[in-house]
Amino acid sequence: MTAPVQPVSADRPAGYRHELYPYSGREEFLEGAVEFLREALDGGEAVVVAVPEEKASLLREEVPEEATVRYVDTTAVAHRPGRLIGAWQEWITAHAAHGRPVRGIGESPWDQARSRAEIEELRHHEWLLNKAFATGPAWWLLCPYDLTGESATLEPMARCHPQIRTGGRTTESTSYDPEAPFAFSPLGDPWDPFDEFAYTHGDLAALREKIAARAQEHGLTGRRLRELHLAATEVAANSIRHGGGQGVFRTWREDHRLVCEFRDVGHIDDPLAGRSRPTSSQPGGRGLWLVHQLCDLVEIRSTPEQGTVIRLHTELRD
Amino acid sequence: MRAARTLAALDEVGTGDHVCQMLGPADDVADRSRAFVADGALFGDKVVVVGTAPRAMGEFVQRVLDPARLDGSLLTAVRREAENAGREGFRSLRVLHHVTPGDRAQRDERLLRSELDLEEFAADSGALVVCVYGGAGWDAPTLEKVRCVHPHHLGASPTSPAFQVYRTGRDGWTVNGVVDSDGAPAFGAIMRTLLAQLATVRLLCHGLEFFDAAGMSALADAAQSLPDRKVVCEGTNETVRMVWELSGFAVPAVPVVMAP
C-alpha cells in the first residue's frame, strides 16, 4: 500500500463498498467497529456482524443484538473461505429485510488459520468479494484486520480492498487494482510419499477406490470419506467433460490434512465458479459449489496456458 | 426379499428372477439356452420363448410368442401365459426372451418400458424371465440402460452394472450401486420411464452407495418432466440428503422427497 490516499465520501455510494480496517489490539478493534455499527444504526441501516466469537462478545457488550443488528454464527465457514461468499449472500438476504440499506462487519480468524494455504485462500476470498457483489444490491462491508497478529501483513490485504479506513476516515486503497488478477503464491510441491493416477472416461470408480485406500490409512471413513468421494468425483468428472477428457490425480498427507490434487488442461475462466448457491432450475454448475461445501479447503489455480490444478484438503482428526 | 446378484450359469436361476444374459459374438443361442429350457420341463414349469425358438429346444417349449404378431403388449401376453400356466397345472412360468434390435429411433424408450414391465411382472408373479441380448446392431448406451434394469446378470458382461433399478415389494423400486456422471443419463431415462407409468415412484435407496450431482440432476429433471409426478426416496444417507439440499433441489418445484 502506498500513499497518497483519496478521501471517500461518507454518503452511501451506489454498489458494493469493501473497506479494510487495519487495527492494533482489542481497544482499536472496538473503537472502529463500534463507530461503524453506530453510524449504520444512526442512518437507519441494518448490520450483519460475522466475526470470531471472542470479537462478537466484545461487540455485543457495546451494541447488543437487535432487529437491525445480527451476530451470525461463522463456525461452519470461518476456516472454509470457499463457503464465505455463499454465506454472505445468505446472511444479507436473511437479515436485510424491510428494504433497509445493509452493512456488514467481517473478520476472519487469521491467527487461527490452519495452514498457509488457508491464509492465501482467505485473502483470495477477500479479493473475490469485490467481483461477487459488483453488480448486486448496494451494501458496505468493513473488514477489521489485526496488525498485531502473528501472520499479519497489510500489503496483500490492501490489494484486496478498494478502500481503507484509518482514524475514522476512509480512503481509496492505492494498492487495489480492479483489473489485476489475484496474485497467487505458487503451490507447493506434493509431499512425499504421494500416489499418482491418470484418469479418463470410465475411471471414476477406480479413482474413488484409490482415495478410499489412502483415506482409510489415515482413519478417514464414513460420512467424511463419502463427502471427499463426492468432491473428488465432481472435480475428476469436470476434467473428463471440460478438461481435455483426462487428468492426473495425486494424493498425499500434509501435516494433519489429506490432500487430493487434480490436474488437467482445461481452464476455469470464471473466478467465481462454485462460490454461489445454485438454484433448482440451473442446468449445471453445481460441481465446484459442492466441492467447496464438502471440503475443508479448496485451492484452484487455472490459466489458459497452464491448465487447471485443484487441491482438496481434508482435515484428519487424529 | 429379492436381491441383485451375478450368476455363473443359467441353472442358478430361481423363481422371480429377471436375468440379463449378454451373449458374446461366439456364443451359440441354442447351446446357451437349451439347459435352461430343459430345466423348465424338469421342474414342471411352462416354458415360453419370445422370439424364435431354436429347433433343438423345441420339444421343451410350450409356447413361442412372436413380438411382431402379439395382440397387445408383451406384458399382457406373458401375464396371460402365467395365468394359463397355473390353470394348466404347471409350477410356474419361465420366459426366454430373445431381444432383437428394433427401430433405433424408438428403441430405447420402448425397450426400457418393456424391460421395466417384465421386471415388475417377474417380481410380482414369481415367473422367471431371462432376456437374451446378442448379435450385432446394439449400441453400448442402450445395452447399459437395459443392464441397469435387471437385478440378475449372466454372460459376456457378467459383472453387474454400476447401478441397478429393480422391483421390490408391491410398490417399491430399489436403486443400488453407484449413480455418478457416467450413469446419470441411464438413470434419468429409467426414472422418466417409471414416472410415465406411475404418479409416485417409491425409490428404495438403502443400497445406493454413491449419488453425485449429475445423478441428482437427472433425478430432479425426471421428476419435473411430467406434471403431477413425485419421487419418494427412502433410505437415503445423510450425505445424499445434505448434497440434495446444497444442490438447490430441496424446493417445492422439484417433486422429490428425500427421506432417511
Side-chain angles (χ1 to χ4, degrees):
Chain A
M1 186 183 58
T2 53
V5 292
Q6 295 296 315
V8 172
S9 166
D11 295 337
R12 289 298 306 271
Y16 174 56
R17 185 164 163 177
H18 187 200
E19 287 185 13
L20 180 66
Y21 170 48
Y23 67 89
S24 296
R26 170 186 152 149
E27 293 305 319
E28 207 174 330
F29 165 78
L30 269 179
E31 184 185 329
V34 169
E35 179 188 38
F36 185 79
L37 265 165
R38 292 203 168 124
E39 274 175 19
L41 297 180
D42 290 346
E45 299 173 51
V47 187
V48 175
V49 182
V51 298
E53 182 49 38
E54 68 273 15
K55 301 278 175 63
S57 297
L58 294 173
L59 280 177
R60 273 197 204 91
E61 287 179 17
E62 302 292 326
V63 184
E65 175 135 0
E66 55 169 284
T68 50
V69 182
R70 295 289 187 194
Y71 292 86
V72 293
D73 181 1
T74 61
T75 312
V77 295
H79 290 283
R80 295 171 180 88
R83 303 183 191 180
L84 278 165
I85 286 174
W88 272 111
Q89 287 168 335
E90 290 183 12
W91 292 332
I92 295 296
T93 303
H95 299 306
H98 313 303
R100 289 191 188 91
V102 184
R103 294 192 192 197
I105 300 178
E107 181 174 6
S108 291
W110 298 96
D111 264 357
Q112 294 157 29
R114 294 171 293 203
S115 62
R116 286 178 58 192
E118 184 180 321
I119 290 175
E120 180 90 336
E121 292 306 317
L122 282 168
R123 284 197 198 112
H124 185 218
H125 154 72
E126 293 288 345
W127 182 84
L128 283 175
L129 279 167
N130 304 304
K131 297 193 176 302
F133 293 104
T135 56
W139 71 290
W140 183 350
L141 177 63
L142 182 76
C143 299
Y145 184 68
D146 191 350
L147 295 171
T148 64
E150 271 182 36
S151 60
T153 45
L154 183 58
E155 175 60 23
M157 289 296 284
R159 284 200 294 265
C160 302
H161 291 80
Q163 289 94 27
I164 298 184
R165 173 178 282 233
T166 43
R169 214 165 141 253
T170 299
T171 54
E172 300 292 347
S173 166
T174 53
S175 299
Y176 175 74
D177 177 357
E179 304 301 322
F182 182 77
F184 281 113
S185 305
L187 291 173
D189 290 333
W191 288 25
D192 280 324
F194 63 84
D195 297 333
E196 186 170 296
F197 173 62
Y199 57 89
T200 186
H201 183 75
D203 287 338
L204 294 177
L207 176 75
R208 287 191 291 268
E209 280 177 22
K210 294 200 176 296
I211 291 172
R214 196 65 191 258
Q216 282 161 4
E217 284 173 24
H218 301 299
L220 192 65
T221 57
R223 178 182 60 80
R224 300 192 70 235
L225 176 57
R226 288 199 300 270
E227 291 175 5
L228 176 57
H229 268 162
L230 261 162
T233 300
E234 296 299 339
V235 176
N238 275 349
S239 293
I240 293 164
R241 260 178 289 164
H242 310 297
Q246 58 192 346
V248 175
F249 165 74
R250 290 173 174 173
T251 185
W252 64 90
R253 181 177 178 150
E254 190 173 302
D255 288 334
H256 295 285
R257 295 177 296 283
L258 183 68
V259 182
C260 294
E261 178 191 89
F262 301 81
R263 288 179 180 264
D264 63 49
V265 298
H267 174 223
I268 300 170
D269 59 1
D270 179 4
L272 287 168
R275 299 288 177 144
S276 294
R277 179 180 281 273
T279 64
S280 67
S281 57
Q282 72 184 53
R286 293 179 176 82
L288 282 178
W289 162 262
L290 289 174
V291 168
H292 282 298
Q293 303 304 311
L294 297 171
C295 295
D296 289 315
L297 189 71
V298 181
E299 297 175 278
I300 300 176
R301 307 288 183 269
S302 190
T303 64
E305 298 78 24
Q306 296 183 327
T308 296
V309 182
I310 298 182
R311 288 184 177 177
L312 314 181
H313 296 235
T314 303
E315 293 291 322
L316 300 169
R317 293 162 188 168
D318 54 3
Chain B
M1 179 95 172
R2 294 174 91 218
R5 67 186 197 280
T6 299
L7 311 173
L10 263 182
D11 56 10
E12 293 176 17
V13 293
T15 56
D17 282 358
H18 180 208
V19 182
C20 182
Q21 184 179 19
M22 292 285 172
L23 296 183
D27 289 334
D28 181 291
V29 176
D31 184 52
R32 291 272 169 168
S33 307
R34 192 178 296 119
F36 168 75
V37 171
D39 272 358
L42 191 65
F43 286 105
D45 292 342
K46 180 175 186 177
V47 177
V48 170
V49 172
V50 181
T52 53
R55 191 184 303 271
M57 63 179 74
E59 62 184 298
F60 302 114
V61 176
Q62 279 76 37
R63 188 106 159 87
V64 176
L65 300 173
D66 179 353
R69 297 183 181 180
L70 289 176
D71 181 19
S73 69
L74 177 58
L75 178 64
T76 304
V78 293
R79 275 188 178 146
R80 188 167 52 236
E81 293 301 333
E83 287 165 11
N84 291 343
R87 279 197 297 273
E88 292 162 357
F90 288 101
R91 181 191 72 154
S92 184
L93 179 74
R94 58 174 65 196
V95 177
L96 184 63
H97 183 196
H98 293 292
V99 191
T100 53
D103 172 22
R104 179 166 285 192
Q106 298 178 354
R107 179 204 301 161
D108 276 20
E109 190 182 336
R110 276 207 313 232
L111 193 57
L112 262 185
R113 176 73 270 145
S114 170
E115 287 292 6
L116 286 164
D117 284 346
L118 288 174
E119 167 56 15
E120 189 172 344
F121 165 71
D124 293 355
S125 70
L128 171 53
V129 179
V130 176
C131 302
V132 182
Y133 286 80
W138 292 107
D139 58 279
T142 299
L143 289 181
E144 193 55 24
K145 278 181 215 148
V146 162
R147 278 161 46 77
C148 290
V149 293
H150 289 83
H152 310 109
H153 292 268
L154 173 69
S157 301
T159 54
S160 297
F163 72 91
Q164 290 164 292
V165 176
Y166 59 91
R167 180 82 160 166
T168 304
R170 296 302 298 182
D171 64 349
W173 291 86
T174 288
V175 56
N176 67 12
V178 170
V179 182
D180 62 14
S181 56
D182 289 341
F187 181 64
I190 292 165
M191 291 308 300
R192 281 194 301 278
T193 307
L194 284 173
L195 285 159
Q197 301 288 110
L198 298 164
T200 299
V201 173
R202 184 171 161 241
L203 207 54
L204 308 175
C205 303
H206 305 78
L208 182 58
E209 295 162 31
F210 186 80
F211 198 21
D212 76 355
M216 291 186 188
S217 292
L219 174 60
D221 289 347
Q224 297 173 94
S225 62
L226 289 168
D228 303 322
R229 296 300 199 268
K230 184 174 164 184
V231 180
V232 179
C233 297
E234 299 177 18
T236 57
N237 64 41
E238 60 183 323
T239 306
V240 167
R241 295 195 299 278
M242 177 181 73
V243 171
W244 181 259
E245 195 277 333
L246 284 171
S247 297
F249 294 130
V251 293
V254 182
V256 176
V257 177
M258 285 285 170

